[in-house]
């Protein structure tokens, strides 16, 4: 999404991803091609969450969405619209490599 990073990656403070502030209804796009492995609201603290598997070692997570536009098993390409942000316009974004959180900023540049 287009927006401002309002919380940075800092695993020492249990910040395993980043928060990006945009506006209500902003379209969220996939950071890279992959397959949707989770789309729902069953994980506490993430609101409506989408997880995309990009390879055997990389996953991306997009949390606090208002409306999910993809479903489990769906293939996405880079920049496909996958959801819309909710009322506060803040998205939580995380990347995991081999199951461990890594700084998403280094992957987005």
């Amino acid at each position: 999404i287009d927006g401002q990073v309002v919380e940075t990656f800092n695993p020492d403070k249990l910040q395993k991803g980043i928060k990006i502030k945009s506006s209500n209804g902003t379209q969220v796009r996939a950071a890279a091609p992959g397959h949707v492995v989770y789309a729902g609201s069953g994980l506490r603290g993430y609101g409506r969450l989408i997880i995309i598997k990009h390879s055997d070692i990389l996953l991306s997570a997009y949390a606090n969405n208002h409306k999910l536009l993809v479903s489990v098993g769906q293939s996405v390409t880079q920049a496909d619209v996958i959801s819309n942000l909710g009322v506060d316009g803040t998205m939580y974004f995380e990347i995991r490599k081999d199951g461990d959180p890594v700084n998403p900023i280094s992957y987005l540049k």
Side-chain angles (χ1 to χ4, degrees), residues 1-101:
I1 64 172
D2 288 328
Q4 178 181 353
V5 175
V6 293
E7 185 175 290
T8 58
F9 178 78
N10 188 341
D12 294 336
K13 293 185 178 182
L14 299 178
Q15 293 165 213
K16 298 176 183 178
I18 60 173
K19 286 187 181 176
I20 304 169
K21 180 75 173 165
S22 192
S23 58
N24 179 20
T26 296
Q27 294 181 331
V28 177
R29 297 179 182 272
H35 292 87
V36 178
V37 294
Y38 184 85
S41 56
L43 296 173
R44 176 182 266 172
Y46 289 91
R48 290 183 181 95
L49 171 68
I50 295 170
I51 300 174
I52 299 175
K53 183 176 182 177
H54 303 288
S55 70
D56 287 338
I57 61 169
L58 283 177
L59 298 172
S60 60
Y62 311 75
N64 301 326
N65 297 287
H66 172 67
K67 183 175 183 182
L68 304 182
L69 303 174
V70 294
S71 55
V72 172
Q74 184 174 338
S75 293
V76 296
T77 61
Q78 185 172 8
D80 278 356
V81 176
I82 58 172
S83 68
N84 291 11
L85 288 184
V87 174
D88 78 348
T90 303
M91 182 187 75
Y92 175 76
F93 179 66
E94 187 175 299
I95 293 183
R96 292 198 173 233
K97 183 176 181 182
D98 287 326
D100 296 319

